[in-house]
Amino acid sequence: MMARIRLRITPLAGYLCVLAFYSGMMFLSVISEKEKAASLTLDSEEPAFIRLHKSSRSKNDNVALQDVADFFDRISTLETRCRKMVRFGGTFCKGYLDNEKYVCMDDDVLLRSRNCTVYSFGVGADTTFDDTASYYGCDVFMFDPTVNGTELQMSNTKRETFYPWGLSARHYKQNFTIEFDDKPSALIVGEFTTYEDIRKRLSHQERDVNYLKIDIENMEWSVLPQLVRDGHLDRVSQLAIEVHTMDIIIAPPEKVLPMLQSYWQILESLKQLGFLRAKHRFNTVLESTYLDRAHNRSLSTCMEILYIKRGFNRRSQLQRHLPPPDVSL
């Protein structure tokens, strides 16, 4: 006859068992949450890519555009997140803020006050961005062939310098007038030249450009390929572009998608240099919209985009501390 074993659990033992079970479950929960957070948490020095809800979008970035809406959906999808985004300048026009530029202040791309350089192509009559950047402590070099420099109202001339040059893929001069309040200006002789030529004129060949602003009214499509091809963006950490696609408004329907495809390929080439979209905003002031009949949707053809090159400051610091190459003379 087998002996019957009775197990008696005291209230204290039961409490300890429940506590141990609960503690184990909490530990597993914490581990699980940490694993999730590790995939999403932004590092203080180099933020991670944004995890897109539609993974197919990132996979199709190099695939031909499906339709017009596909271009605008892709270009408005961010590729990295800036933890410390600030706005420089801007004025209100027709109830909307215009001409403001966004600057990322994360450590790896930070504009260091008293030791930063800004190139501002396309100043127009609004210097609020340039003024803000100069008061922050940057040396601001302003360019625009359509502006009379003597009439430009700069509020910090100690750090702001203006040049009546336009950014182009080649050097040339052009005569034109500008209409303001339906009144044409006097004849202007505008000089356009290349980024490389401007750098040489300023003796800036070895100088980092911490913030490059390009607002050159549709000429970005000829300038950007040259900047990418010739390596002129190697010393740039933040690139702000006002993108113009209003040509599709008057283009024949069969030409629209090929035009947008060429624009997309140019912008995608920036990724090969390490630039990622950190900010996107459609410009609603210009009132230049395209009617996408396929989706019954009005699309703004002008937008502000900020690209940043992650880890730029760390790479620059590392390069400065590398020993000189051992070259036999």
Side-chain angles (χ1 to χ4, degrees), residues 22-69:
Y22 179 78
S23 299
M25 293 300 294
M26 288 296 292
F27 175 77
L28 293 175
S29 176
V30 169
I31 293 297
S32 176
E33 289 300 319
K34 284 187 176 181
E35 289 177 349
K36 292 179 181 179
S39 65
L40 297 175
T41 299
L42 301 176
D43 186 271
S44 60
E45 291 186 340
E46 186 168 355
F49 294 148
I50 289 180
R51 269 57 178 182
L52 302 177
H53 295 294
K54 297 181 180 179
S55 58
S56 59
R57 175 66 64 197
S58 58
K59 293 179 181 178
N60 290 335
D61 278 350
N62 294 322
V63 178
L65 296 173
Q66 299 175 14
D67 50 30
V68 172

